[in-house]
């Protein structure tokens, strides 16, 4: 993902947030930026790290730390770190929810680690989304947010505009995922090597996760992107997408490609393949059934699209990466 200016990743210090994770992520992103700068990787830019905390009146979060206070950057991600105490109550979360929703509506990706998912849940953005958190919190999370789909078997779930990670130490996995997204697999692997952390491994395209462009500023297109993520791109008819955007079809197609760098067909194929990869890893459903579940009535067409995007057939991908 290319940017004209550094990417800003904000870490949110809500009440009870684990400071070790905040400082660890700050160090991880700073190290990755130095590696990227030394390699001068084409298309990669430094990561700017900021910390956000409620102002003295407790009304809205403000920056209390900025790794590059004199520079310009695009706020691209807000991360909700883990908590070593009880998950945040609805009352304590209230000053953050509107602020988080506002930024998400502008294209900012929201991420959570462990109990940080409770603050994310209070925004109302997890309806119909598959998320993860620490297994100790699953029952309480499901009681508070029944409209979210909980999958605590997964360590990290990257849904493009929303990323959730499981246990308290999964901040390393989320951090490396973001380094991979913004600085590329080579920098991610080198960062993991220096920190002596097992990298998730992204040397080739069959490791890569689709990371849609969300900070383009076209609110009509962004609305459709959020809708496609939330509905697993089940309905991709042009008429439906244009209606979601509130645009005439030809105008929508032109603006969508300009904003995302892809046609609607390419974009939806990548979303569907991403969902299929998740099902191949974490379920035992037959491949033909997975094809149907992600929107392909023709299994042969699904296999062709999957192989073109991932570089492996669905069967090869399952044998290599299945968690079963």
């Amino acid at each position: 993902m290319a940017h004209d200016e550094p990417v800003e990743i904000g870490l949110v210090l809500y009440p009870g947030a684990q400071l070790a994770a905040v400082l660890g992520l700050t160090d991880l992103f700073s190290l990755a930026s130095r590696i990227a700068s030394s390699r001068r990787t084409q298309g990669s830019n430094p990561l700017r790290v900021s910390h956000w905390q409620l102002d003295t009146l407790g009304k809205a979060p403000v920056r209390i730390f900025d790794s590059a206070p004199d520079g310009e950057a695009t706020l691209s991600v807000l991360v909700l770190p883990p908590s070593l105490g009880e998950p945040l109550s609805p009352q304590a979360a209230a000053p953050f929810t509107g602020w988080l929703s506002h930024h998400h509506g502008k294209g900012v990706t929201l991420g959570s680690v462990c109990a940080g998912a409770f603050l994310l849940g209070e925004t109302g953005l997890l309806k119909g989304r598959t998320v993860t958190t620490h297994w100790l919190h699953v029952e309480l999370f499901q009681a508070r947010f029944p409209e979210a789909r909980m999958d605590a078997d997964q360590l990290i779930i990257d849904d493009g505009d929303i990323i959730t990670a499981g246990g308290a130490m999964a901040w390393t996995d989320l951090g490396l995922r973001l380094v991979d997204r913004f600085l590329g697999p080579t920098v991610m692997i080198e960062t993991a090597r220096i920190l002596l952390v097992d990298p998730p491994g992204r040397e080739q395209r069959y490791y890569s996760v689709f990371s849609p462009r969300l900070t383009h500023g076209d609110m009509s297109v962004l609305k459709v992107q959020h809708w496609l993520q939330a509905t697993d791109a089940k309905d991709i008819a042009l008429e439906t997408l244009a209606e979601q955007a509130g645009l005439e079809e030809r105008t929508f197609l032109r603006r969508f490609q300009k904003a995302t760098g892809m046609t609607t067909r390419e974009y939806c194929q990548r979303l569907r393949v991403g969902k299929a990869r998740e099902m191949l890893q974490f379920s035992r459903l037959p491949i033909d059934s997975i094809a149907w579940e992600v929107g392909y009535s023709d299994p042969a067409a699904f296999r062709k699209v999957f192989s073109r995007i991932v570089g492996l057939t669905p069967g090869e991908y399952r044998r290599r990466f299945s968690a079963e």
Side-chain angles (χ1 to χ4, degrees):
M1 181 177 182
H3 297 266
D4 295 327
E5 56 189 20
V7 172
E8 181 179 352
I9 299 178
L11 308 176
V12 183
L13 281 72
Y14 61 85
Q18 183 186 354
L19 295 181
V22 173
L23 297 176
L25 282 167
T26 302
D27 289 343
L28 187 151
F29 294 138
S30 298
L31 172 62
S33 289
R34 290 200 300 272
I35 293 170
S37 297
S38 67
R39 289 178 174 271
R40 297 185 179 180
T41 307
Q42 185 177 1
S44 65
N45 294 283
L47 299 179
R48 175 177 177 176
V49 185
S50 55
H51 297 175
W52 297 75
Q53 195 170 47
L54 288 179
D55 60 20
T56 55
L57 298 178
K59 291 184 177 181
V62 295
R63 281 188 187 88
I64 61 167
F65 167 80
D66 192 336
S67 65
D70 298 325
E72 295 294 328
T74 299
L75 181 61
S76 295
V77 184
L78 286 169
V79 176
L80 309 173
S83 169
L84 292 180
E86 292 297 314
L88 209 61
S89 68
Q91 295 75 20
F96 295 90
T97 54
W99 177 76
L100 289 168
S101 296
H102 169 74
H103 281 292
H104 180 260
K106 292 174 63 178
V108 174
T109 296
L110 301 182
S112 70
V113 183
C114 192
F118 284 79
L119 176 49
L120 189 54
E122 290 294 337
T123 65
L125 296 171
L126 298 185
K127 181 179 180 180
R129 295 296 190 98
T130 301
V131 298
T132 190
T133 188
H134 195 292
W135 60 270
L136 283 172
H137 299 317
V138 168
E139 188 173 344
L140 177 60
F141 188 92
Q142 291 177 319
R144 280 178 58 175
F145 311 108
E147 294 181 320
R149 299 196 297 261
M150 172 54 61
D151 186 356
D153 291 334
Q154 295 198 49
L155 181 64
I156 187 166
I157 297 176
D158 186 343
D159 207 17
D161 60 329
I162 291 177
I163 308 175
T164 54
M169 289 303 295
W171 61 263
T172 58
D173 300 271
L174 184 141
L176 291 174
R177 178 65 60 90
L178 292 174
V179 170
D180 185 16
R181 175 181 292 196
F182 295 116
L183 300 180
T186 301
V187 173
M188 182 276 292
I189 292 168
E190 181 67 8
T191 302
R193 186 186 69 82
I194 292 175
L195 294 176
L196 298 180
V197 177
D198 288 336
R202 303 285 193 278
E203 293 97 333
Q204 301 181 58
R205 59 178 172 162
Y206 48 79
Y207 289 101
S208 298
V209 175
F210 175 47
S211 301
R213 189 186 301 169
L214 300 169
T215 54
H216 45 70
D218 190 325
M219 294 299 104
S220 295
V221 172
L222 183 61
K223 179 182 177 184
V224 174
Q225 290 178 275
H226 286 161
W227 181 79
L228 286 169
Q229 293 279 172
T231 60
D232 294 329
K234 291 292 178 62
D235 184 354
I236 61 173
L238 176 56
E239 180 182 0
T240 303
L241 300 181
E243 183 180 345
Q244 287 290 327
L247 299 171
E248 186 270 335
E249 291 181 8
R250 293 178 66 179
T251 301
F252 167 70
L253 286 175
R254 175 177 54 79
R255 285 173 56 174
F256 188 93
Q257 183 151 11
K258 180 181 179 182
T260 67
M262 298 181 184
T263 65
T264 56
R265 180 182 181 185
E266 291 169 333
Y267 189 94
C268 292
Q269 282 178 341
R270 290 183 178 274
L271 283 181
R272 288 177 166 186
V273 165
K275 184 66 176 178
R277 287 165 62 158
E278 177 184 314
M279 297 177 75
L280 287 166
Q281 284 183 269
F282 298 103
S283 81
R284 296 183 179 179
L285 281 176
I287 291 173
D288 286 4
S289 298
I290 290 176
W292 179 266
E293 286 292 326
V294 299
Y296 288 92
S297 57
D298 181 357
F302 164 71
R303 285 178 166 84
K304 184 177 180 180
V305 170
F306 189 97
S307 298
R308 176 175 58 81
I309 291 175
V310 179
L312 298 170
T313 67
E316 289 169 339
Y317 187 86
R318 170 169 272 171
R319 285 190 292 274
R320 187 181 292 261
F321 297 111
S322 175
E324 295 292 330

